[in-house]
Amino acid sequence: MPLVLAADAAAGEAPESEAHARARKVRPELARGELVRVAGGGNQAEAELIGGLLLEEGIPSLVRRAAGSDVPDFLAAGQRDVLVPESGAEAARELLAQVEAAAPGTAGSSASESSHALRLAAAIAVGALVAALVAWILVTATL
């Protein structure tokens, strides 16, 4: 028998379902007020990951399809909004800012992306120059 079930049985409360287990994680003081958008995901999986991070800190969340982002052929595709109650919005934004700051590769990523684009453009220009030189040599050699 897993230890988690033994601990729940000792407490006298075993979660009845996944929804019940999720509800036990929610901190009531963060579950009041109207829903506000705190984050967005590029698809359903990203948005649910964000919702899972929030739930681990006791912040309830709701994932819904973003306005103007309807992709009926691909049900999991399209932008998603992550909504939380007003009382938990500030805590959610702080948590997401901490996670974003701690994520590897986010600091200086725009600088590395621009240098990569510059190197790619230079390589294309050099390749075009070499191709033009070869074409010029072939044309002059045949005359």
Side-chain angles (χ1 to χ4, degrees):
M1 174 181 283
L3 295 176
V4 174
L5 291 177
D8 286 341
E13 285 185 44
E16 299 169 8
S17 65
E18 183 180 339
H20 185 252
R22 287 178 54 91
R24 290 176 64 182
K25 292 180 180 181
V26 172
R27 292 176 27 203
E29 66 271 12
L30 299 177
R32 295 189 193 103
E34 295 291 320
L35 293 175
V36 294
R37 183 183 185 277
V38 294
N43 55 43
Q44 186 174 356
E46 285 181 15
E48 287 179 359
L49 176 69
I50 294 169
L53 288 171
L54 294 172
L55 184 62
E56 290 302 315
E57 294 297 319
I59 304 167
S61 65
L62 173 76
V63 174
R64 74 171 180 200
R65 189 180 303 269
S69 171
D70 188 21
V71 186
D73 294 337
F74 306 103
L75 297 178
Q79 296 287 327
R80 305 283 190 212
D81 290 334
V82 179
L83 308 167
V84 300
E86 283 179 302
S87 61
E90 187 61 34
R93 288 186 182 106
E94 288 175 10
L95 174 67
L96 294 174
Q98 290 173 2
V99 168
E100 186 175 337
T106 56
S109 64
S110 62
S112 66
E113 288 174 4
S114 63
S115 68
H116 178 67
L118 185 60
R119 283 184 282 159
L120 180 62
I124 291 172
V126 168
L129 184 60
V130 168
L133 182 62
V134 168
W136 180 75
I137 291 172
L138 291 175
V139 168
T140 57
T142 58
L143 292 176

